[in-house]
Amino acid sequence: MAPHDDLRAFQVSYDLGLAIIRSTSHWPKHELFGLSAQARRASSSISINIAEGVAKRGRRELRRYLDIALGSLAELDVLIRFAKDLKFIPIEEAEQLEQKRAHAGRITWRLYESTVKGSGRPNSAD
């Protein structure tokens, strides 16, 4: 098992990525290389950056990758909103995706804060 597998931020963001990939498979085909692809990239970027940050040495590197993951979470917020407003997905599905996104954001933000305060990755140096 990889070290990132134990992190709740990774687990929740990975589940979010799967939910987005499943959802985008039903979006209009003309969006295959547009919003669908962008949503898939943004959602997969979250867990990928968490995993990569954990693999790096030191809190500073982990913070940098968590910062990128937080940016992807913000990007995904807008993409879900676009999908809802363009009626690619029902309002209920958009709300579920947004709840998952917000939950992943809160957990990832707490992990980011823990690295700023020095309590994250105690066995690594900056």
Side-chain angles (χ1 to χ4, degrees):
M1 189 192 266
H4 57 266
D5 287 330
D6 291 334
L7 291 176
R8 187 78 180 127
F10 172 80
Q11 296 163 0
V12 170
S13 62
Y14 185 85
D15 289 343
L16 171 63
L18 291 174
I20 292 293
I21 290 168
R22 287 185 190 109
S23 177
T24 57
S25 69
H26 303 291
W27 292 13
K29 294 302 172 203
H30 68 271
E31 284 299 330
L32 187 60
F33 299 106
L35 290 177
S36 295
Q38 189 68 23
R40 286 175 176 225
R41 280 192 301 274
S43 66
S44 62
S45 171
I46 302 160
S47 56
I48 289 168
N49 276 291
I50 292 170
E52 191 169 357
V54 169
K56 298 290 184 175
R57 293 183 174 216
R59 287 188 183 106
R60 186 173 303 142
E61 282 293 299
L62 175 57
R63 261 192 318 270
R64 186 167 74 89
Y65 282 91
L66 290 173
D67 190 47
I68 295 167
L70 289 165
S72 294
L73 281 155
E75 180 181 359
L76 192 57
D77 173 53
V78 176
L79 291 162
I80 293 168
R81 193 177 310 174
F82 274 136
K84 179 186 73 170
D85 291 345
L86 292 168
K87 305 209 183 322
F88 293 172
I89 54 176
I91 291 172
E92 300 80 25
E93 184 177 348
E95 289 171 353
Q96 290 172 350
L97 292 172
E98 177 50 30
Q99 286 174 0
K100 286 178 179 286
R101 191 212 59 82
H103 182 59
R106 285 189 300 273
I107 291 173
T108 303
W109 179 252
R110 283 199 300 262
L111 180 58
Y112 178 86
E113 285 183 318
S114 76
T115 65
V116 171
K117 296 175 184 171
S119 60
R121 302 257 324 254
N123 293 327
S124 62
D126 278 333

